[in-house]
Amino acid sequence: MQFIEVNRDNADILFDYWNEIRKNIPYFYRTTYKLFIKSLFDDTYEGRTVFRTNNVFGIQEDGQVKGVIQYDIPTFHFTEVGKITKDINIGVILNLYYEETRIDIGRVLLDLSLDFFKENNIKDIYAFYHAMGMSCNGNHGKLHEEYNYVGKLLCEEGFEIEHENIYYICDMKEKKLEYQNNRDIRVSELEDNKQKFILYDEDNKALGSAEIKYIDNLTGSSEKDIIYLVWIDIDKKVKGKGLGTEFLNHIIQYCLKKGYRYLHTDTALNNKIAQKFYIRNGFIDNGITRSYLTKTSS
């Protein structure tokens, strides 16, 4: 078992390993090496540098990577209402992956991060923090159920599940597009890889809003393949009239015209209404994702 501190000069040893992991996680998109390195060491969120430094360590055996961990202290945090704050004292384990049969490697890597947080007097530690995923992964930070054994290890070390989501994918080319009315859809200019949509009625009253994210802008991919639906919302006063489906169909038509095929999204595991909406509109369940949190006593 050989410890390796990964930096920009030797990060190529991780790229093949990362592509193996990617095969099992729907939001680990195909990315260029350049964008992978940028996300690993120089990632930003809405213009903010995510981490103060960046601790990335791998374990090799016989010249092959067998596990990897990435952890650090972030430069910002989110309040309970989703506002960004710099008043923080948290640590984040961004990534932790290893082979299922090598729990020994998982424990060694996890202990490395926990020792770091202890030395820095960090009490609250997030693992697979949902809001701080790598940009090349569309900023999805949660752990996919394919790697539930990693979550089991975290729970054995005092972590608890913080949030659970379901990840959905829709093949837009297979979606039957129907419109009840020819309502007015207005689209904003592209900003920070995102665009907003607003649905208006004939009286110019806003009925709903939505936002999409262009994944190819984050991965460096030359293929226009995936759009991520950040949110879609209909005014509660007009819910139940099919406007959500109509609005979604307009968004899908817009994405198809731009050459994209797949629409990704996710929603909370306890949000049964949203789940029924997505399934009814052709989205396929691609697994549960989880974030974790431990709060140590003072």
Side-chain angles (χ1 to χ4, degrees):
M1 188 184 296
Q2 179 187 6
F3 259 116
I4 297 177
E5 183 173 0
V6 182
N7 54 48
R8 290 172 180 79
D9 295 328
N10 64 1
D12 59 306
I13 64 172
L14 281 186
F15 196 50
D16 289 341
Y17 182 72
W18 203 258
N19 281 323
E20 284 299 313
I21 296 172
R22 185 185 66 80
K23 295 176 182 178
N24 299 317
I25 305 178
Y27 45 90
F28 273 35
Y29 312 112
R30 186 186 304 278
T31 185
T32 64
Y33 181 68
K34 180 180 179 180
L35 267 295
F36 172 72
I37 294 300
K38 181 179 179 180
S39 295
L40 197 63
F41 297 110
D42 301 304
D43 217 357
T44 60
Y45 179 86
E46 295 184 352
R48 298 172 175 84
T49 299
V50 177
F51 293 105
R52 296 181 184 178
T53 53
N54 236 327
N55 297 285
V56 185
F57 291 89
I59 288 182
Q60 276 188 324
E61 286 184 349
D62 301 323
Q64 291 187 326
V65 175
K66 297 294 184 179
V68 64
I69 191 167
Q70 182 181 14
Y71 59 88
D72 206 80
I73 301 171
T75 61
F76 61 90
H77 189 25
F78 291 87
T79 66
E80 292 182 357
V81 295
K83 299 294 184 180
I84 290 178
T85 175
K86 293 183 179 180
D87 182 18
I88 59 171
N89 185 33
I90 67 167
V92 173
I93 299 172
L94 185 67
N95 292 297
L96 173 59
Y97 293 100
Y98 54 91
E99 295 179 8
E100 186 171 6
T101 59
R102 297 303 304 272
I103 187 68
D104 57 323
I105 289 178
R107 289 190 183 280
V108 167
L109 291 171
L110 180 57
D111 286 346
L112 187 67
S113 68
L114 297 180
D115 288 344
F116 169 83
F117 294 130
K118 184 176 180 180
E119 291 170 2
N120 285 275
N121 198 33
I122 299 298
K123 304 300 182 183
D124 298 347
I125 306 169
Y126 291 77
F128 298 96
Y129 190 7
H130 58 285
M132 292 185 180
M134 296 169 67
S135 290
C136 64
N137 296 339
N139 303 118
H140 287 281
K142 288 187 175 73
L143 179 70
H144 191 269
E145 65 178 13
E146 182 72 20
Y147 293 92
N148 275 347
Y149 61 89
V150 177
K152 181 180 178 181
L153 173 62
L154 289 168
C155 290
E156 289 174 357
E157 295 298 322
F159 286 79
E160 296 180 353
I161 295 173
E162 182 198 20
H163 295 298
E164 295 180 287
N165 280 35
I166 299 179
Y167 197 87
Y168 290 103
I169 298 177
C170 175
D171 185 341
M172 294 187 289
K173 285 189 176 180
E174 299 298 319
K175 178 85 162 65
K176 184 178 180 180
L177 301 180
E178 297 179 348
Y179 308 94
Q180 292 180 337
N181 297 285
N182 187 22
R183 301 183 192 274
D184 185 19
I185 305 293
R186 300 176 195 174
V187 186
S188 71
E189 294 295 324
L190 182 65
E191 182 179 355
D192 194 28
N193 301 314
K194 298 177 183 178
Q195 276 185 319
K196 291 183 180 179
F197 296 76
I198 298 179
L199 175 70
Y200 289 91
D201 66 9
E202 59 275 7
D203 296 321
N204 203 36
K205 180 181 178 181
L207 300 174
S209 61
E211 183 174 279
I212 62 172
K213 181 188 297 185
Y214 291 87
I215 298 301
D216 54 303
N217 289 358
L218 299 171
T219 63
S221 173
S222 59
E223 298 180 1
K224 289 186 175 182
D225 194 27
I226 298 170
I227 292 284
Y228 180 76
L229 178 64
V230 182
W231 86 73
I232 181 169
D233 184 59
I234 295 294
D235 189 322
K236 62 182 180 181
K237 295 179 181 178
V238 292
K239 281 187 176 180
K241 298 182 179 180
L243 291 177
T245 294
E246 180 182 341
F247 192 17
L248 177 64
N249 287 343
H250 280 294
I251 294 169
I252 287 176
Q253 184 184 48
Y254 179 87
C255 295
L256 286 171
K257 285 183 177 180
K258 293 178 74 69
Y260 293 89
R261 176 165 184 174
Y262 298 101
L263 186 63
H264 290 214
T265 195
D266 69 336
T267 192
L269 186 61
N270 61 4
N271 191 343
K272 303 301 181 183
I273 294 176
Q275 291 167 32
K276 290 179 181 178
F277 172 77
Y278 290 127
I279 291 172
R280 186 171 66 248
N281 281 284
F283 285 77
I284 304 300
D285 182 339
N286 271 250
I288 296 173
T289 65
R290 298 180 175 94
S291 59
Y292 299 82
L293 170 65
T294 182
K295 294 187 177 183
T296 58
S297 58
S298 301

